[in-house]
């Protein structure tokens, strides 16, 4: 039976099977032996329900059209897939307390998926005045480039209509952002009722607190689906080349004009990137972020290479790349998860 993982919490994945039946499932033993082989929210799966068994068994996971991947925060060089098979990533940041460094990282990870990307500035009602709103929007636009930037507030429910339009029927959006930025509140406004629990704001620091880490695909009446991704603290880069390229197209274009093809933009002669920074065409902070993110990506790649060697694999055994709708992105999807095992 085909189905889709629609809820993931600490327990067993909940799968909505063809015909609508909701079945709690465990993974087939053969499936969990390999790396990358656990179903995530959004995955399409083959399920069997053995006679007299109270749970379904996930026998196979279908190839993913998209996946949101970060470095596993607890492991040295292992990827962690947080969601699969979506069309858009919404990056939420609180307007009055925006973190531009985090935003840059979130945009790299979002672009790396190959999906459409939109920034959503939340809690606009907490802004001091219209001038602050405009100043933040300008700062965010300078980082987001061609990516759309929306401003919402639960104090003005009509402000979420622009978000609703981005998620038409038949499409799925995933919502990322720090805990407490108002993701659950946005989902509830889109749905029109309280389907997700809202975190309390702690006294003093004004930060939200999360009561749950469950991930769930929520249907928007008359529209598509949205997945809140709570409890995502660290966003370590995994594959990030395409994501960095898409998040920093200005710098990548300049880099193409450096004298050396492998220019690191440090002290090489004929570096077009450093020249542009010195000429004031690229903000120094933006260049620093770019360099730091590239450095992190290279470091992860180096550790992966080490791990591969330790496993006795040939250096740079790359899985076949897959093209995506994003012209800049060439994705390396872990194909292991998709191989038939029976
Ligand atoms: P999440 O952790 O990202 O899902 O954030 P929540 O939706 O749980 O919201 C965290 C806190 O921010 C809660 O106390 C909400 O009531 C509050 N909040 C959410 N949206 C807004 C808003 O637009 N304006 C204001 N002032 N508070 C909001
Ligand atoms: Zn250079």
């Amino acid at each position: 039976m085909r189905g889709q993982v629609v809820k993931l919490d600490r327990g067993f994945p909940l799968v909505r099977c063809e015909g609508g039946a909701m079945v709690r499932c465990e993974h087939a033993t053969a499936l969990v032996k390999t790396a990358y082989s656990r179903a995530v929210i959004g995955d399409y799966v083959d399920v069997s329900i053995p006679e007299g068994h109270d749970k379904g068994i996930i026998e196979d996971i279908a190839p993913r059209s998209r996946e949101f991947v970060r470095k596993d925060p607890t492991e040295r060089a292992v990827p962690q897939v947080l969601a699969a098979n979506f069309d858009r990533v919404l990056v939420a940041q609180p307007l009055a307390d925006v973190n531009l460094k985090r935003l840059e990282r979130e945009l790299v990870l979002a672009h790396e998926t190959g999906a459409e990307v939109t920034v959503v500035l939340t809690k606009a009602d907490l802004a001091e005045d219209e001038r602050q709103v405009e100043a933040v929007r300008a700062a965010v636009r300078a980082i987001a480039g061609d990516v759309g930037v929306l401003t919402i507030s639960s104090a003005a429910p009509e402000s979420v209509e622009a978000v609703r339009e981005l998620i038409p029927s038949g499409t799925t959006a995933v919502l990322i952002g720090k805990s407490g930025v108002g993701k659950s509140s946005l989902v509830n406004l889109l749905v029109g009722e309280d389907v997700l629990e809202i975190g309390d704001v702690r006294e003093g620091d004004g930060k939200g607190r999360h009561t749950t880490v469950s991930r769930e695909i929520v249907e928007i009446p008359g529209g598509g689906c949205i997945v809140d991704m709570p409890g995502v603290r660290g966003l370590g880069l995994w594959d990030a080349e395409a994501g960095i390229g898409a998040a920093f197209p200005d710098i990548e274009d300049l880099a193409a004009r450096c004298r050396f093809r492998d220019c690191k933009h440090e002290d090489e002669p004929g570096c077009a990137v450093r020249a542009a920074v010195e000429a004031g065409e690229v903000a120094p902070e933006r260049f620093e972020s770019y360099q730091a993110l590239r450095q992190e990506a290279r470091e992860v790649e180096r550790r992966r290479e080490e791990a591969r060697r330790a496993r006795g694999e040939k250096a740079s055994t790359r899985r076949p790349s897959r093209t995506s709708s994003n012209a800049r992105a060439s994705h390396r999807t872990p194909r292991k998860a998709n191989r038939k095992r029976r």
Side-chain angles (χ1 to χ4, degrees):
M1 214 178 343
R2 272 281 265 202
Q4 185 180 28
V5 177
V6 293
K7 184 164 183 169
L8 208 62
D9 43 35
R10 289 188 205 285
F12 297 93
L14 186 65
V15 174
R16 186 178 53 224
C17 293
E18 274 165 358
M22 295 288 202
V23 185
R24 283 274 170 195
C25 290
E26 51 194 325
H27 289 86
T29 326
L31 204 56
V32 288
K33 271 193 204 140
T34 16
Y36 312 125
S37 50
R38 238 152 272 233
V40 302
I41 192 89
D43 260 330
Y44 292 102
V45 292
D46 283 341
V47 169
S48 68
I49 305 175
E51 200 77 36
H53 208 270
D54 66 336
K55 275 191 216 75
I57 304 212
I58 296 176
E59 304 281 0
D60 201 15
I61 303 165
R64 294 164 178 154
S65 66
R66 300 249 154 75
E67 34 179 31
F68 191 94
V69 192
R70 69 168 168 180
K71 190 178 94 61
D72 189 321
T74 60
E75 299 272 346
R76 281 172 60 87
V78 180
Q80 185 183 49
V81 182
L82 296 179
N85 306 322
F86 46 85
D87 307 281
R88 185 176 291 276
V89 179
L90 300 173
V91 178
Q93 284 254 359
L95 185 134
D97 188 20
V98 83
N99 179 336
L100 298 177
K101 286 274 171 248
R102 183 179 165 104
L103 179 62
E104 284 167 335
R105 176 178 293 275
E106 290 170 331
L107 286 171
V108 168
L109 279 121
H111 280 302
E112 181 67 34
T113 69
E116 302 287 333
V117 182
T118 306
V119 175
V120 180
L121 297 173
T122 60
K123 308 193 191 185
D125 55 305
L126 297 182
E128 279 160 31
D129 51 24
E130 202 49 40
R131 264 190 41 215
Q132 188 191 11
V133 174
E134 279 319 308
V136 172
R137 285 181 57 92
V140 167
R141 259 193 248 108
I143 283 173
D146 290 340
V147 163
V149 181
L150 299 177
T151 303
I152 65 164
S153 156
S154 52
E158 70 282 1
S159 62
V160 308
E161 292 313 307
V163 180
R164 189 189 304 280
E165 279 169 27
L166 296 177
I167 317 168
S169 183
T171 71
T172 300
V174 301
L175 188 49
I176 66 162
K178 237 171 99 180
S179 177
V181 303
K183 299 187 299 299
S184 317
S185 305
L186 170 58
V187 171
N188 290 343
L189 280 170
L190 288 169
V191 173
E193 57 180 299
D194 291 354
V195 286
L196 298 183
E197 225 171 310
I198 308 293
D200 292 330
V201 171
R202 274 174 301 210
E203 291 291 321
D205 63 3
K207 285 192 184 114
R209 187 173 17 153
H210 246 284
T211 39
T212 163
V213 291
S214 83
R215 277 173 206 150
E216 190 174 351
I217 298 186
V218 175
E219 279 177 46
I220 302 167
C225 294
I226 187 160
V227 187
D228 180 9
M229 291 213 285
V232 177
R233 237 170 251 140
L235 284 176
L237 301 183
W238 186 246
D239 278 332
E241 216 181 294
I244 291 173
F248 295 88
D250 48 344
I251 298 186
E252 294 269 306
D253 285 349
L254 288 163
R257 280 184 262 143
C258 292
R259 184 174 308 159
F260 300 108
R261 257 197 60 200
D262 60 350
C263 185
K264 290 198 164 59
H265 324 307
E266 280 159 10
D267 44 23
E268 297 91 338
C271 174
V273 176
R274 269 197 355 271
V277 174
E278 276 151 32
E281 288 155 20
V282 170
E285 312 83 63
R286 184 166 172 80
F287 174 59
E288 270 164 39
S289 298
Y290 173 81
Q291 289 291 75
L293 289 163
R294 289 233 311 176
Q295 179 59 37
E296 178 180 333
R298 271 199 297 266
E299 179 61 15
V300 171
E301 183 53 42
R302 193 185 62 71
R303 289 214 236 140
R304 285 165 77 177
E305 197 73 35
E306 251 173 41
R308 273 192 288 263
R309 239 177 277 126
R311 283 196 307 267
E313 290 174 27
K314 273 204 207 85
S316 70
T317 313
R318 278 274 163 78
R319 294 184 184 90
S321 67
R322 179 154 38 176
T323 44
S324 87
S325 58
N326 186 336
R328 282 180 182 273
S330 120
H331 297 262
R332 295 183 294 273
T333 308
R335 300 294 305 217
K336 268 188 193 165
N338 310 326
R339 228 179 274 143
K340 278 269 178 226
R341 278 170 204 81
R342 284 165 304 148

